[in-house]
Amino acid sequence: MMKILLIHGPNLNLLGKREPGIYGLKSLDEVNVQVKRFAEENEAELKIFQSNSEGALIDAIQDAGEWADGIVINPGAYTHYSYAIRDALAALGLPAIEVHLSNIFAREDFRRHSVISAVVEGTVTGLGWRGYLCAVEGLIGILQDRKQ
Ligand code: DQA
């Protein structure tokens, strides 16, 4: 069974309440249930971690090196300026997919640039919570291809 770590960054604990017109009405727990079920249906084990703090996110990425096959990450606002999270993903050397609920290219200028994108396999942006399903599916495919 493939093991995937799903990481939610800052303010994503507020999903459902936080700017619902942009980020949707589902709570983080509701999203997590759906993504976990989808992973299980696709024979992958999903662990989930959320933190508002950069250091805790970096610790989780480093720790994933001990057990995970790949990562799905929504780094929240750290997307736009955290070289430390970028370096942690680059050092990890596992495939990672970046997810954004909103379309970061259709919003404020500062959101258009991701410092994370250069060190991940790909990015899903603007598909709401379903973007996590796309990311998990894509990651499983990438991992299967690499096994062959
Ligand atoms: C986000 C987009 C970021 O710009 C923002 O800071 C977030 C959420 C998204 O999922 O659309 O916190 O990553």
Side-chain angles (χ1 to χ4, degrees):
M1 231 192 187
M2 283 164 192
K3 295 192 174 79
I4 296 172
L5 176 63
L6 169 60
I7 299 180
H8 302 285
N11 297 307
L12 293 165
N13 55 313
L14 299 178
L15 275 193
K17 289 178 269 191
R18 172 194 186 200
E19 300 181 89
I22 296 174
Y23 297 115
L25 288 165
K26 268 193 201 304
S27 70
L28 187 61
D29 283 349
E30 287 167 342
V31 171
N32 285 340
V33 166
Q34 299 283 342
V35 186
K36 213 173 168 79
R37 187 180 302 153
F38 181 80
E40 278 162 12
E41 283 164 7
N42 287 278
E43 265 130 67
E45 188 185 320
L46 190 78
K47 288 196 182 164
I48 301 169
F49 179 74
Q50 190 278 327
S51 178
N52 293 325
S53 103
E54 191 177 23
L57 295 169
I58 292 164
D59 288 343
I61 293 167
Q62 289 185 5
D63 181 64
E66 304 296 317
W67 62 270
D69 297 304
I71 287 188
V72 172
I73 181 165
N74 183 344
Y78 286 134
T79 302
H80 313 296
Y81 66 93
S82 176
Y83 298 123
I85 290 178
R86 173 194 170 122
D87 283 353
L89 288 168
L92 185 66
L94 294 178
I97 314 273
E98 173 186 357
V99 176
H100 302 289
L101 295 148
S102 64
N103 178 355
I104 59 170
F105 300 110
R107 300 183 63 195
E108 301 94 324
D109 278 351
F110 77 89
R111 294 188 205 274
R112 288 189 182 186
H113 182 65
S114 164
V115 301
I116 306 298
S117 293
V119 298
V120 294
E121 303 299 317
T123 301
V124 182
T125 186
L127 302 187
W129 69 271
R130 290 183 185 84
Y132 293 108
L133 307 185
C134 299
V136 167
E137 186 177 7
L139 181 58
I140 290 171
I142 286 167
L143 290 169
Q144 279 167 348
D145 288 351
R146 289 190 185 176
K147 264 192 179 172
Q148 283 165 7

